[in-house]
Amino acid sequence: MELHDVWFVLIAVLWTGYFFLEGFDFGVGVLTRLLGRDRRERRVLINTIGPVWDGNEVWLLTAVGATFAAFPDWYATLLSGFYLPLLLILVCLILRGLAFEYRAKRSEERWQTNWERAIFWCSLLPSFLWGMAFANIVRGVAIDAGKEYTGGLLDLVNPYALLGGATTLALFTFHGAVFTALKTVGDIRVRARALAVRLGSAAAVLAVVFLGWTQLDRGDAATLVALAGAAGALLAAVRAIAAGREGWSFAFSGATVVAVVALLFLALYPNVMPSTLHPDWSLTVSNSSSSDYTLTIMTWLAALATPLVLLYQGWTYWVFRKRIGTQHIADDASPQEPART
């Protein structure tokens, strides 16, 4: 296997880790308006992801940085062609981070409600837009012989991309509902279970259509295996949460996300961005990669740094592993004594 193939796999792993981890905290953000009945319950939901959301975003930074270093042409074409959707995602991530940090700085209801709305919308929009972006990458976009995107914004808004966005939104929200049930106690846990069953059923319908479309259009034996794995894991996740087995359900919902991302990257390879104008103009792992020398240095650095990052993030999840409920939330938050978020 050539080094550029290795780095395609590593970038796929980074995106998989990002969607596995950020997927559930996006889902929890969406649930702040769907599941939380009052300020106290919304604070419970926010506190389930408060210690980990920023660490989850490290995977995104690493994936983008690795793409820039390993496949500069892919990076340049992707960020220039998808400029407006990716800019909107970036703005949402910035506002979402501000909302987590500033929501509890003042105790006024209007102040906290506005930041909670920001968490909701800035979780919902990226969940949808990431699905649209990856659906367009797999489907192909208008790339000319100079490796430049020649389409417009409306070219990215097509039925397949919209379906991809709806699928990731549903999957992430289901993933978040399962995580909420795993991390909470009391009535909110019971309602999270019930909502997760409904969300899982909706996600299953969308996923079957989207992944089936992908399989028919660009699939092979490997993607068929991934499709079967995604379907089986999603079904197992729904059955497990219905039975009250949150730990197993979270493992299976995470496996669903992993299988979906694997299917998309398998359908994409050996391309990194197919051209709809001419097949010879597609960006591939070979014609868009950096030199072997660059990739070799990157490989050694990744081998040294990755275990440390995994150990630190694993330790964070272990430290904050306990369940929380409304009884753990103070009656009110003040600027002098902000609530934990």
Side-chain angles (χ1 to χ4, degrees):
M1 182 181 286
E2 299 288 339
L3 275 177
H4 51 66
D5 297 313
V6 171
W7 273 96
F8 179 83
V9 173
L10 291 176
I11 288 171
V13 170
L14 290 171
W15 281 109
T16 301
Y18 173 65
F19 288 135
F20 179 95
L21 297 172
E22 190 87 305
F24 73 72
D25 77 46
F26 278 152
V28 173
V30 173
L31 291 174
T32 56
R33 309 303 295 183
L34 301 182
L35 187 64
R37 292 176 173 174
D38 53 33
R39 288 174 64 188
R40 186 185 292 265
E41 289 192 350
R42 287 192 289 273
R43 286 168 64 185
V44 169
L45 291 168
I46 292 170
N47 284 353
T48 62
I49 58 174
V52 299
W53 67 268
D54 49 354
N56 294 343
E57 292 185 356
V58 170
W59 290 79
L60 172 62
L61 298 175
T62 309
V64 173
T67 303
F68 169 75
F71 299 99
D73 289 334
W74 184 12
Y75 175 90
T77 305
L78 176 64
L79 267 71
S80 61
F82 291 36
Y83 178 78
L84 288 177
L86 294 180
L87 177 62
L88 181 56
I89 291 174
L90 178 60
V91 171
C92 284
L93 294 180
I94 293 172
L95 289 176
R96 189 168 179 266
L98 290 173
F100 282 123
E101 296 298 329
Y102 282 93
R103 184 195 132 276
K105 297 298 183 182
R106 291 167 56 180
S107 60
E108 291 90 340
E109 182 175 357
R110 183 177 178 181
W111 171 272
Q112 295 195 359
T113 299
N114 286 337
W115 284 119
E116 287 165 2
R117 288 173 179 161
I119 291 173
F120 169 75
W121 287 109
C122 292
S123 299
L124 186 149
L125 288 174
S127 298
F128 182 81
L129 291 172
W130 278 128
M132 281 191 66
F134 271 84
N136 275 303
I137 291 172
V138 173
R139 172 180 175 267
V141 292
I143 300 174
D144 64 13
K147 300 181 180 179
E148 294 184 3
Y149 176 70
T150 60
L153 177 62
L154 293 180
D155 294 322
L156 303 178
V157 183
N158 55 77
Y160 179 72
L162 293 173
L163 180 59
T167 301
T168 53
L169 175 59
L171 282 175
F172 290 169
T173 309
F174 168 66
H175 197 30
V178 173
F179 180 79
T180 300
L182 180 65
K183 286 288 293 179
T184 57
V185 295
D187 180 60
I188 196 169
R189 176 187 179 189
V190 174
R191 286 187 283 114
R193 284 183 191 167
L195 181 58
V197 173
R198 297 195 296 272
L199 289 169
S201 300
V205 173
L206 291 169
V208 165
V209 179
F210 175 65
L211 299 180
W213 190 342
T214 305
Q215 178 65 30
L216 291 174
D217 189 40
R218 295 187 175 275
D220 54 20
T223 56
L224 184 60
V225 171
L227 193 157
L234 183 54
L235 177 61
V238 174
R239 294 185 64 179
I241 195 66
R245 305 181 70 178
E246 294 104 340
W248 280 107
S249 183
F250 183 72
F252 284 125
S253 68
T256 303
V257 174
V258 170
V260 170
V261 179
L263 188 152
L264 294 178
F265 274 92
L266 286 170
L268 186 61
Y269 183 82
N271 296 316
V272 294
M273 285 190 77
S275 173
T276 57
L277 300 180
H278 195 287
D280 292 342
W281 297 344
S282 297
L283 300 184
T284 68
V285 293
S286 57
N287 69 15
S288 63
S289 67
S290 297
S291 66
D292 283 346
Y293 180 73
T294 300
L295 296 178
T296 300
I297 294 175
M298 290 176 59
T299 303
W300 280 107
L301 291 175
L304 294 172
T306 301
L308 298 176
V309 174
L310 292 175
L311 286 172
Y312 173 77
Q313 194 160 27
W315 176 78
T316 302
Y317 276 92
W318 175 255
V319 169
F320 294 99
R321 66 189 182 279
K322 293 184 178 179
R323 296 176 183 265
I324 63 172
T326 53
Q327 66 270 29
H328 301 115
I329 302 298
D331 290 336
D332 197 19
S334 65
Q336 292 76 27
E337 296 178 334
R340 181 172 66 90
T341 56

